[in-house]
Amino acid sequence: MAITGFVSGRSSTQKAYPGKTTPFVILTCLVAATSGLIFGYDLGISGGVTSMEPFLSKFFPSVHRKMMMAADRSSNQYCKFDSQLLTTFTSSLYLATLVTSLLASTVTRALGRKNSMLIGGVIFLAGSVMNGAAENVAMLIVGRILLGVGVGFACQSTPLYLSEMAPPHLRGMLNMGFQLMITFGIFSANLVNYGTSKIIGDWSWRISLSLAAVPAMIITVGSVFLPDSPNSLVARGHTEKARTTLQRIRGIQDVDEEFNDMVAASDESKRVRHGWSNMGKRKHRPQLVMAVLLPSFQQLTGINVIMFYAPVLFKTIGFGSNGSLMSAVIVGLVNMFATLVSISTVDKIGRRLLYLEGGPQMFVCQIIVGTLIAVNFGSTGEASMSKLYAWIVVAFICIYVAGFAWSWGPLTILLPSEIFPLEIRTAAQSLAISVNMFFTFSIAQAFLPLLCHLKFGLFYFFGGWVVIMTTFIYFFLPETKNIPIEKMVLVWRDHWFWGRFIDDDGHAHGGQEPVDAVENNRKVVSAI
Ligand code: BGC
């Protein structure tokens, strides 16, 4: 029985608009992608800061006392960082991002993508100043909420901006630039923490938190000079400016074909009054399920246990402060370089293969890491780990992170941006981001208590989820490689399961029947 649709996507199914790949479009996409830096810097900085003694003794003295007691190795290693306040500090940002990304879709539509990025950069800048100058926990948390609002604007507007500016044949690669910048932000934060941890006293954490101002300045200043996307300009009635911008980014004068499609798509999307309620229609069910499940699953891989808490985790398994931060730097490097693997292969080998390779790789490593920790610490957590043993644990964590970085990381940002029909694209993008943030928040909030209670079983818990999500991808995710966005509905219509949700006029939005794509899909539907 044909169970799942593999779509090879011949280039003949692509609608090639005339135009060149101009240095201008590459530069604008590069500048816009830097908004991923502010998200990444946040993801990477808090774990290191919350393992710094001056920070803990100033803001979280009870955690500091517990940590000191655990240093003699006679207390439970699994529970030494468990503190509700400490987790609130880390996770408050993601709650703010969740709410903001829902609201930002209106701002992004009314004021344009560029202005949303600018607003995000400015608010983030204010948050970094507040955090660097913090004198009490309240200032810390308010600062982090401001950072979260900034990240919400950036994550809602940037992927849309990138998809709209990029020429179709470079869309995948340029979209993944955003994830690459996230990983660069995480890595820079790890490096900063490694440097500042050597400073004695409050300047250590103050410098780490204030340096968030650097990526904030980059995106704030950068977005002032960015042109808005032609699609957004058309949608807001600036038709002539949109045409000039399109001519500039495509490097040719005759952009009529692409421009007319843009105007038609904008007219069509204006006919849909409520993107949100329209999303509930039966024909959008497959994409809606993906918008909810992909980001949920991404977080249930347990990646942010490593990204937020690597230094804490490494301290737990017995590294000193220096060794823990150093290991976090190594993990950050692996994350960044492995993302490049995805960028260079995604349009050749496809999305499914990357997911189906990354999942099992992560699962095997999670089982090994959980078992290594179980063998060493048992369930009491009262032991110490030898250096060699701890480095073996770090090595398997790195292989796990590499698996994530070429599968669930970048693909889960790319897919929501390419599977939605135009009329619900903005709302669906907000939904995908807020679901991501809901799970990011929940896992940040739950990790330290979970580590304390599930102990080494925490790694088996996330490993179990990886099995579920990999099975889901195998049966339910159709291949979208090389399929033009306007013809994307065909991959759902021809899918063994999702096909039942798409009625015969479900593909009528693109206008002309894309015969090539239909034939192509049928030919390569693969049976298992
Ligand atoms: C995820 C983050 C994660 C990061 C790691 C992103 O795609 O949304 O939660 O920390 O990848 O590189």
Side-chain angles (χ1 to χ4, degrees), residues 55-56 58-61 84-86 88-89 92 130-131 134-145 205:
F55 178 84
L56 288 175
K58 185 173 176 79
F59 298 111
F60 306 96
Q84 202 53 43
L85 251 189
L86 193 60
T88 307
F89 165 72
S92 53
M130 180 84 131
N131 264 354
E135 280 306 329
N136 49 48
V137 176
M139 275 180 87
L140 271 184
I141 292 183
V142 171
R144 235 171 128 70
I145 290 173
W205 61 267

Side-chain angles (χ1 to χ4, degrees), residues 419-492:
I419 59 173
F420 290 106
L422 182 71
E423 67 259 33
I424 57 166
R425 201 171 291 155
T426 330
Q429 170 77 10
S430 292
L431 179 72
I433 298 223
S434 21
V435 170
N436 183 326
M437 293 305 152
F438 172 76
F439 278 91
T440 307
F441 167 80
S442 309
I443 288 171
Q445 194 69 23
F447 168 65
L448 291 177
L450 275 180
L451 178 65
C452 186
H453 293 105
L454 290 183
K455 307 174 171 80
F456 57 85
L458 185 62
F459 293 92
Y460 300 156
F461 170 77
F462 287 120
W465 278 107
V466 171
V467 172
I468 294 173
M469 64 187 80
T470 306
T471 311
F472 173 83
I473 294 291
Y474 186 74
F475 287 109
F476 296 106
L477 185 79
E479 179 57 68
T480 54
K481 175 188 77 166
N482 289 346
I483 304 291
I485 288 185
E486 321 87 69
K487 297 173 185 173
M488 196 61 80
V489 73
L490 290 171
V491 304
W492 306 103

Side-chain angles (χ1 to χ4, degrees), residues 256-393:
D256 286 354
E257 201 183 341
E258 187 173 2
F259 185 73
N260 292 341
D261 278 359
M262 221 173 255
V263 173
S266 165
D267 289 346
E268 185 164 338
S269 80
K270 275 182 195 149
R271 277 199 289 276
V272 178
R273 283 238 206 99
H274 307 289
W276 286 103
S277 56
N278 199 36
M279 208 152 51
K281 285 193 177 156
R282 185 178 159 83
K283 65 175 179 176
H284 297 318
R285 200 66 49 80
Q287 297 95 323
L288 188 63
V289 168
M290 294 296 160
V292 173
L293 285 189
L294 291 181
S296 317
F297 283 154
Q298 188 205 49
Q299 292 305 314
L300 286 166
T301 58
I303 188 66
N304 280 328
V305 163
I306 309 296
M307 292 302 140
F308 300 154
Y309 296 113
V312 169
L313 195 70
F314 295 143
K315 262 194 175 175
T316 301
I317 62 174
F319 280 102
S321 286
N322 207 28
S324 327
L325 291 171
M326 183 62 187
S327 321
V329 171
I330 295 173
V331 169
L333 258 182
V334 170
N335 189 23
M336 204 166 77
F337 281 104
T339 306
L340 291 173
V341 173
S342 197
I343 290 182
S344 56
T345 56
V346 66
D347 291 319
K348 298 187 192 92
I349 65 173
R351 284 74 165 137
R352 281 176 55 88
L353 202 61
L354 285 167
Y355 269 127
L356 294 176
E357 192 287 327
Q361 178 173 329
M362 286 191 283
F363 171 74
V364 170
C365 292
Q366 281 162 317
I367 298 303
I368 294 177
V369 169
T371 307
L372 286 173
I373 293 181
V375 168
N376 191 87
F377 288 126
S379 56
T380 59
E382 289 174 8
S384 59
M385 197 181 263
S386 79
K387 273 274 132 48
L388 177 68
Y389 200 92
W391 277 112
I392 294 175
V393 174

Side-chain angles (χ1 to χ4, degrees), residues 39 43 179 183 186 298-299 304 307 335 404 409 413 436:
F39 183 30
L43 289 164
Q179 172 73 11
T183 62
I186 296 175
Q298 188 205 49
Q299 292 305 314
N304 280 328
M307 292 302 140
N335 189 23
F404 174 89
I413 305 250
N436 183 326

Side-chain angles (χ1 to χ4, degrees), residues 229-242:
S229 71
N231 318 56
S232 173
L233 288 167
V234 168
R236 288 180 294 131
H238 306 298
T239 321
E240 268 324 297
K241 197 162 175 202

